[in-house]
Structures are given as C-alpha cells and as structure tokens.
Amino acid sequence: MSPPGRLIRRLSCWLPSNLFKYKFNFGALMAEARSTLLWADSKKIKEEFDLQILTMLGPKSEEDLAKSVKASKAADKTKLSSKEASITANDGNAALQNGDTTTCGLSILELLRNAPFHKPGENHKSEGYVITPNTKDLLQQHLKITAGKVRTRFPPEPNGILHIGHAKAININFGYAAAHGGTCFLRYDDTNPEKEEEKFFVGIRDMVEWLGYTPSAITHSSDYFDQLYTWAVELIERGLAYVCHQRPEEVRGRDPPPSPWRNRPKHESIKLFQDMKHGKFDEGEATLRLKLTLEEGKVDPVAYRIKYVSHHRTGDAWCIYPTYDYTHCLCDSIEHITHSLCTKEFQSRRSSYYWLCNALNIYCPVQWEYGRLNMHHTVVSKRKIAKLIEHGIVRDWDDPRLFTLTALRRRGFPAEAINKFCASLGLTGAQITIHPEALEATVRDVLNSSAHRRMMVLEAIRVELSELPDDAPSLITVPNIPGDDAAGSHQVAFASVIYIDASDFREADERGYRRLTPTQSVGLRHSGYVISVQDVVREAGKVVCIKASCAQATASNKPKAFIHWVARPALCEVRLYDRLFIHESPEDPAVVPEGFLSDINPSSLTVVSDAMVDGSLVGAAPFTSYQFERVGFFSVDPDSSEEKLVFNRTVGLKEDKGKN
C-alpha cells in the first residue's frame, strides 16, 4: 500500500467514523507524507491522497460539497490578502502556497535525518550507480578510511561572494553530515585562477561559519593537481582522452563538428599533453578532451585547458588547469566523499562523474541532486553583480540590496532565519523561484522574538512640553522585549523637550487619523503621559516646533493612540531599502528586453541623514539588530561609529506586509 494510503488507514482505526467523513483536516497527513517522501512529486502525493480518500469515504454528499465551496472561497480570500511566504516552482512539479509547507517547522537537521540517501558503503544500491568488478573492494577500502561515517563537502568556486542559493547548499551539505554524525569539508574549487581573489576565499569561509557550521577540514582542488595530472596521463594511455586543437569558438553551440584528432595515437597525445604542461602552446591552441558523451548531448568535454595565469597557491608551477567536469568527481573520490550533493543542473554531469571514477578504477561516490534556489527581484550571477559594482549601481558585494550572504548579513538578516528558511523549502528536485517576501517573513519572525526594542524618529518635529510635573522622571525603564523578562530592560531619557515623527502630527483633523492634532491628544509610549497641542511654530510654512501640555494618563484622559518619541537623542543616518530591480525577472529578455541594467529601481535606496535615535544606542556593535517601535527592524551598519550612528533597515513590521 502507498504511504498516503497507510497513513489514512492507520488514522481510520482510531478516529470515529462519524467524525472522519470529510471533516478531518488532512493537512497534517499531507505534511507527514511529504516529510517522509522528501523527493516525491507533490502533485503525485496529492493525487494519491485524493484516490485513497475517495476509496475509503466514497463520493462527497451535497452537504460536503457545500462546505467545501465555502471553505474554498475563504481560503482564496486569505491567499489574495497575504503575499507572505509565496513560492513558485519554475518547472511546475511543486508549488508551496501560503500556509502549506513541506517540513512543518522542522529544522534542517530534523529534515535531513529522513533524507532518502544511501547509507555509507551502500553506494551500489543507488539508482543509476555503475557497478564494476572492483566496486565491492573499493567500497570496503572506502569504509575503512571513513569508519563508516557520512562525509560530504561544500565545493564553491572562489570567484565571488556566496549568495542565498549557496545558503541552501551549505545547509544541505553541512546539515546532512551533522544529522548523521558525519563530517563535511569546505573545498575550494580553485581551478580558474584568473577569476579568483583572496577576499573570496576569506568571504566564503566567513559565511559558512556565520551560518553556524565549522568545516571538519578546509581543502582545495589545487591540493590534488599532481594526482589529477597523473590520472589524465593514465586516461590517455587507456585510449580514453586525447589532445585536440579545435579552437574554443569551433566547439561552441549545438552539434559542433567532431574533432579530427579524436583517434590520434596515444603516444602522440601524451607527448602533446606534456608540451601543454611545459608551456609550448598558446592559450586556446590545445586542450585535453575526454572520450565520452554527456546526457545533454555534449561530446568529448574538455578536461584540461591552457591558462598563463599565476595561481594563488601554486604560483607559476602550472600553466594547464583542470575543468570542473574533470576535477569535481576525482576530488570527491580522493577525499572519500560518501554523498556528492549538488543542484539539479549538474544532473547532466552525472554520467561523466561515474565514468571518470570507473575508468580510473578508483572509489566512486554517489551524486545526488536537489532543486536550486532562485530569488525574484535580484540577480545572483557573479558576473552580473560585478557589472552592478562596475557601473556604480551598488557599492560592493555586501550592498544590502543584493542577495549575497554578506549583503544579507549587513542588512540585518539573522543566520538563524536564513537556515530556517532553507529548511522550510524541503528537499524537492524542483527548481524554485522565491519572492523576497517569503524570506523576509521568516526574518521578521526570528527578529520579533530576539531584537531589542528601541525608539527612533525618521523625520523629527521638536515638541516643547509645558506643565511637566515636578516628579516626572528623567529616566524611564523600558523592557528590551515586552513579555520576556529574561531579555532585561534599558533606560530612556525623558525631558521637557522631546522629538516625535512628522507622520504622527496633522494640523487638520482627518477621519480615521488617531495621532496628534490640535484637537486630539496622544500618549507617549512607555512614559505614562499624555500630550495636547497648545501652539504650532512654523518657519517658511513648515512646522518646526509644537508647544504642548503634558499630564499623566488617567482613566478620564486615556488617549486613542500612543506614539514613539525620543529625548536627548543621538543623530543618526538611516538607510531604507526597496527592491533593486523593478520587475520580478530582470534577467528575462521577454520582460526586460534591454537587459537587467535597464531595470534598476531608482528608489531602491533612500538615505535619511538626520534621523534621531534613543541615545542609549551610542556605541552599539555592528550587525546588532533592533526593532524600532512602529518603524521596523534595523541593524547597525559596519560604517557606524560613536561619532556617527548608521542603521540599515532590515524589514518592516508585520503590519507593513514586508514592504521596505
């Protein structure tokens, strides 16, 4: 019986039949099935559920149908009124809608404990794994080296800063190893020296550790250059590789012409390959190619190419560098990786992965693919981000309008929120494109329970209080997080001169406006006082000061609303962010025909240079997050100092629906 069927049959054993018929919430059962069948097609699971329910309960009655229609309309209304956590799947195989998650709040470790991967040493049981006469012996040797433990790796190219898609890869690779008591290597795929920089090596490690993971070892593909070269010579000797002189432009595109050098004698290719290594050819004049065809139809992929570029670790020792197609699987084999976890686009490389390991008669790991994470309203291509920096649209890789991990940290996104978000996506094979509001909703939930509250005004109006009681305190104790005594408290200054936000005052009464007006009093948050307008001072037609009376709040003068304020404040700079691109898909030529650089939102950054903040924040540490009451969540920017406070707006409050 199918898993959905077993769940329904199991439930029917203890649930009274008069309650079961179409009145039970099947969402929990669906979630349990999805958490068990992590790689299954969500649509197929739903179809199986419908079939099992129909078989057990029979057709719906008129009463059931009437209720279903009513519930459906209510659900549609809810979906239309909320865009938080909306997710679309590009390939149509899976779609997570509002209120529907595949993981039911599971952490990444809980999710990956049930991942349907093979056990260490049972590589041969995986679908598509190629078994050779030496497979058993190689697996036994492998188990001795790994002690039967899970071993994964995160293998980024050090040619740019990691982005939100990499966060999913980090969580899956490090998370799967942690969930099974194993180890995970951080391996830099440093085979393209012309694009690699030291800051990228440092930045990658920083982001892995920021997300809470410690690599069991840090390795480099360049650690194995000697072994990779030896294996390349061995492939030539076995008639499985050859030196080719077709130029790069000749082999691009569909159906390139076959190489006229494919069947050249082995000894000739060995001699030419050595000549390549010794610098006797110009760049592009010769390559080493493998004799195989990939699933995507690509024939004879390149294994080595010539690059006269100094390498950051090996210097000028090499002028030939291996490609990803050649390096990746062999490094996995050298490091005895048990699970080579990668995104779906590398599925077309699986045949070369297994082919190379088996051709060299070495241990062959198992490659598993999962769906890549993409994000609307952004670009994550390193080349395109570099163009944004070059054109002065963003200032660097950590500009908070980007979705690189350094940018998200600078904007104030907690690592915990990013990890939770990645866990919520599950382990589908579908490539999904997420709206930023889904990630921001998770960020908001985490910050709501962790960020200390403070008060800030973006556009200040001076308020002079008269009739301030003699016993009015000069300091007011305010809880850091209301309702959480363990979070402690802080003190804010109170004086006869305070500042309120311009949005909290109107000179004319407006229907529905509940803030301060000449005829409407308002309360001051946390103070216990109510203020009323006595006079309004203008300069050049602009309100610059309000003179107001001040009295303790009582049952008789209880105000309709309370507003935030600051006294003896510190001046600060506040940076407010919106989407960097106008359209959801700035890289789609059908949507933005003139290219992504033409789609920049001119209002993506607003700088308020004269905002005022609670003076207790002077000296706050960079990256510290705060919730400024009624304004939003903010993070202290690294540019901040005791002389100049700088804050980045992270996300708005929940009532702002995530809009920045």
Side-chain angles (χ1 to χ4, degrees), residues 10-113:
R10 187 183 74 202
L11 206 67
S12 67
C13 293
W14 55 265
L15 192 66
S17 59
N18 63 325
L19 294 177
F20 189 70
K21 185 174 175 62
Y22 292 111
K23 293 183 179 180
F24 182 76
N25 180 9
F26 292 99
L29 291 178
M30 285 285 292
E32 184 175 346
R34 286 174 174 170
S35 64
T36 303
L37 304 172
L38 298 175
W39 293 81
D41 187 328
S42 298
K43 184 178 179 181
K44 296 296 183 184
I45 293 179
K46 181 64 168 61
E47 290 173 355
E48 180 68 16
F49 256 85
D50 291 342
L51 177 61
Q52 293 288 343
I53 292 170
L54 181 63
T55 302
M56 175 174 287
L57 304 181
K60 290 184 178 181
S61 64
E62 291 184 5
E63 182 181 2
D64 292 325
L65 290 171
K67 290 182 178 179
S68 296
V69 170
K70 183 177 180 180
S72 177
K73 289 182 178 179
D76 289 343
K77 184 177 180 180
T78 301
K79 289 179 181 179
L80 287 172
S81 63
S82 174
K83 292 185 178 179
E84 292 180 8
S86 64
I87 302 173
T88 61
N90 283 351
D91 62 2
N93 289 335
L96 305 180
Q97 299 297 333
N98 295 338
D100 180 19
T101 64
T102 60
T103 59
C104 296
L106 297 178
S107 71
I108 194 70
L109 297 189
E110 292 168 330
L111 171 70
L112 292 170
R113 284 193 188 103

Side-chain angles (χ1 to χ4, degrees), residues 461 500-511 513 515-520 533-547:
I461 294 181
I500 67 172
D501 200 280
S503 63
D504 286 333
F505 174 69
R506 294 281 188 278
E507 290 195 77
D509 290 333
E510 297 178 15
R511 184 177 181 181
Y513 185 74
R515 314 285 171 75
L516 185 63
T517 72
T519 60
Q520 182 170 267
V533 175
Q534 293 179 321
D535 191 18
V536 177
V537 180
R538 302 174 187 81
E539 289 182 4
K542 181 181 179 181
V543 175
V544 294
C545 180
I546 298 171
K547 298 183 182 295

Side-chain angles (χ1 to χ4, degrees), residues 630-659:
R630 297 178 56 241
V631 180
F633 294 99
F634 289 75
S635 177
V636 181
D637 190 88
D639 289 344
S640 193
S641 65
E642 290 191 7
E643 293 75 29
K644 180 185 179 184
L645 287 167
V646 180
F647 294 94
N648 293 312
R649 190 180 194 191
T650 306
V651 290
L653 299 176
K654 193 169 185 179
E655 57 265 30
D656 294 335
K657 299 181 180 179
K659 294 181 179 178

Side-chain angles (χ1 to χ4, degrees), residues 108 112 152-156 162-177 184 186 203-213 370 405 419 422:
I108 194 70
L112 292 170
T152 61
R153 82 290 169 269
F154 173 58
L162 303 182
H163 55 71
I164 185 63
H166 289 113
K168 182 178 179 181
I170 291 170
N171 271 279
I172 289 176
N173 278 285
F174 283 92
Y176 185 74
C184 182
L186 169 58
I204 287 170
R205 181 173 181 176
D206 285 348
M207 290 301 96
V208 168
E209 293 178 347
W210 176 61
L211 290 179
Y213 298 106
Y370 54 87
L405 293 183
N419 291 342
C422 291

Side-chain angles (χ1 to χ4, degrees), residues 360-547:
L360 292 165
N361 194 28
I362 59 177
Y363 162 70
C364 183
V366 178
Q367 177 173 306
W368 292 94
E369 303 93 11
Y370 54 87
R372 178 175 175 168
L373 168 60
N374 294 318
M375 190 73 68
H376 282 308
H377 288 289
T378 192
V379 296
V380 295
S381 161
K382 297 165 187 174
R383 178 180 58 83
K384 292 178 179 178
I385 292 176
K387 280 192 173 183
L388 292 171
I389 297 171
E390 178 186 340
H391 285 77
I393 295 169
V394 298
R395 69 179 189 176
D396 210 338
W397 293 86
D398 64 347
D399 189 298
R401 290 167 290 179
L402 297 172
F403 278 82
T404 61
L405 293 183
T406 53
L408 296 180
R409 179 179 64 171
R410 186 165 193 155
R411 185 167 165 178
F413 282 34
E416 177 190 355
I418 292 175
N419 291 342
K420 282 187 174 183
F421 175 71
C422 291
S424 73
L425 302 177
L427 272 178
T428 66
Q431 178 171 297
I432 55 178
T433 302
I434 311 290
H435 194 284
E437 288 182 0
L439 174 57
E440 290 166 2
T442 306
V443 170
R444 192 179 295 110
D445 288 343
V446 170
L447 289 178
N448 195 50
S449 60
S450 62
H452 287 188
R453 274 52 165 179
R454 293 294 190 272
M455 292 190 288
M456 177 185 71
V457 294
L458 291 174
E459 186 180 351
I461 294 181
R462 179 186 174 96
V463 178
E464 298 177 356
L465 302 178
S466 62
E467 303 174 13
L468 188 66
D470 294 335
D471 59 352
S474 59
L475 293 173
I476 298 173
T477 300
V478 178
N480 286 328
I481 301 178
D484 184 359
D485 295 338
S489 61
H490 64 282
Q491 291 188 315
V492 298
F494 185 62
S496 59
V497 174
I498 65 172
Y499 297 87
I500 67 172
D501 200 280
S503 63
D504 286 333
F505 174 69
R506 294 281 188 278
E507 290 195 77
D509 290 333
E510 297 178 15
R511 184 177 181 181
Y513 185 74
R514 303 170 67 86
R515 314 285 171 75
L516 185 63
T517 72
T519 60
Q520 182 170 267
S521 300
V522 72
L524 299 178
R525 289 277 289 163
H526 306 297
S527 71
Y529 289 97
V530 177
I531 62 173
S532 302
V533 175
Q534 293 179 321
D535 191 18
V536 177
V537 180
R538 302 174 187 81
E539 289 182 4
K542 181 181 179 181
V543 175
V544 294
C545 180
I546 298 171
K547 298 183 182 295

Side-chain angles (χ1 to χ4, degrees), residues 568-619:
R568 295 199 287 275
L571 286 174
C572 64
E573 177 181 300
V574 176
R575 300 167 183 171
L576 308 174
Y577 300 100
D578 202 343
R579 310 294 177 222
L580 180 59
F581 296 97
I582 298 171
H583 293 90
E584 283 191 347
S585 304
E587 298 171 278
D588 187 348
V591 178
V592 186
E594 295 182 11
F596 72 101
L597 290 176
S598 69
D599 196 47
I600 302 300
N601 176 9
S603 303
S604 63
L605 171 62
T606 301
V607 177
V608 181
S609 58
D610 55 355
M612 293 182 175
V613 71
D614 182 347
S616 66
L617 290 181
V618 173

